[in-house]
Amino acid sequence: IDPNMLTKVAVCQVPDIRENIDASLKWIEKFTKQAEERSVSLICFPECFLQGYLTVEPLAKKYAVDLVSATFKTMLQRLAKYTPTIVFGLIEQDDANLFNTAVVIKNGKLIGRHRKTHLLDGEQIFKAGSKYPVFQINGLKFGINICYDTQFSEAAKNLAKQGATLILCPSNNMMRYETAEKYKHLHHKMRIERVNETKVWLLSSDVTGENNGRISYGPTSAINPDGQVVKQVPLMETGMIIVDI
């Protein structure tokens, strides 16, 4: 592996899909195929994207997946034909516990996962994760902070200490209108703070659109180690950006 070789990384802004795993997988396939055609090695999708951001327990349990189940294996097989490493959020069932998890998949195999470590008041159905795994692709080391995780210095610092030069941030900022307006520009502000502390890349992936009295603008963007937003999918549009890291 040439340590100086750059790795192409993509992050996607996609519709807020709920309770339709097949539709979510179709978006993952669509963008992963496009990314593969552009020599991308790593692609990321939003928080809880597989089932939707479901925080009501009966609904979350209905759609949650066990990562060692035949159901999940079938999903992995569906994604096996793509060469990029794929990261996406899902609701994970592990025994009696639910986790807000991001999985890392390569050639149809589960490489690892990150369970969200910091939970919002509205996420009490989930159990918090406690680990910050680091993954390697080509010469690039990366880790994951899920959405609210990025508001806490130690989440990013933990990854940087392990040699990660990229943090992927699968997010789901579907909020009530007034909250969404308030946070519209705060997401970048908070993420830039993390970057300034760690001097790593931070790439976010978010949902967009309107749903049931709520709105998600995004942002899906790339912030370089100097704390500059170098690329962004326009707010309220679906799309993908690619950067070389």
Side-chain angles (χ1 to χ4, degrees), residues 2-239:
D2 176 0
N4 301 315
M5 190 176 76
L6 292 174
T7 300
K8 281 190 188 299
V9 184
V11 283
C12 304
Q13 192 157 284
V14 283
D16 178 49
I17 299 166
R18 298 186 181 214
E19 302 172 62
N20 190 337
I21 287 172
D22 182 58
S24 298
L25 285 169
K26 278 183 179 145
W27 275 96
I28 291 172
E29 289 180 299
K30 176 186 167 176
F31 275 133
T32 304
K33 186 172 183 287
Q34 286 178 20
E36 183 171 31
E37 286 161 3
R38 293 168 68 181
S39 307
V40 164
S41 298
L42 175 62
I43 185 168
C44 180
F45 294 87
E47 174 184 22
C48 294
F49 182 57
L50 186 68
Q51 303 101 329
Y53 184 71
L54 309 174
T55 54
V56 178
E57 194 161 17
L59 206 52
K61 280 198 159 147
K62 180 181 171 184
Y63 290 98
V65 291
D66 188 320
L67 301 188
V68 295
S69 66
T71 309
F72 190 61
K73 217 166 244 137
T74 306
M75 291 179 211
L76 291 180
Q77 282 162 359
R78 187 166 162 177
L79 301 172
K81 58 182 175 285
Y82 303 106
T83 52
T85 297
I86 307 170
V87 175
F88 62 85
L90 52 73
I91 297 169
E92 178 196 356
Q93 173 102 43
D94 186 5
D95 294 329
N97 297 313
L98 294 176
F99 292 92
N100 180 334
T101 299
V103 292
V104 182
I105 289 160
K106 172 77 177 153
N107 299 129
K109 291 188 173 59
L110 178 67
I111 303 298
R113 67 181 163 206
H114 164 68
R115 291 166 165 173
K116 191 172 188 175
T117 51
H118 297 84
L119 300 172
L120 291 153
D121 291 344
E123 296 179 317
Q124 296 313 308
I125 65 164
F126 300 119
K127 191 169 188 230
S130 57
K131 297 188 176 89
Y132 291 97
V134 167
F135 307 93
Q136 187 153 348
I137 177 163
N138 305 334
L140 175 67
K141 276 190 177 175
F142 72 94
I144 301 165
N145 282 178
I146 298 175
C147 206
Y148 190 52
D149 285 343
T150 54
Q151 292 199 28
F152 300 87
S153 289
E154 86 272 5
K157 282 177 178 167
N158 202 306
L159 295 172
K161 268 190 207 134
Q162 296 180 69
T165 54
L166 162 66
I167 295 172
L168 289 177
C169 178
S171 300
N172 194 311
N173 283 306
M174 184 59 70
M175 299 168 166
R176 297 187 192 285
Y177 289 102
E178 53 278 17
T179 316
E181 281 301 325
K182 184 180 141 196
Y183 274 93
K184 205 175 192 176
H185 304 293
L186 284 179
H187 298 298
H188 275 149
K189 188 171 174 280
M190 286 181 285
R191 290 169 188 169
I192 287 165
E193 278 174 28
R194 299 293 83 81
V195 168
N196 287 337
E197 289 160 3
T198 55
K199 303 298 174 201
V200 302
W201 281 86
L202 193 151
L203 270 60
S204 60
S205 167
D206 213 326
V207 295
T208 194
E210 296 182 69
N211 194 332
N212 213 357
R214 293 169 182 260
I215 191 164
S216 179
Y217 293 111
T220 294
S221 61
I223 301 169
N224 72 11
D226 295 325
Q228 298 159 322
V229 179
V230 289
K231 275 193 185 176
Q232 182 174 341
V233 180
L235 298 181
M236 300 301 288
E237 288 181 24
T238 59

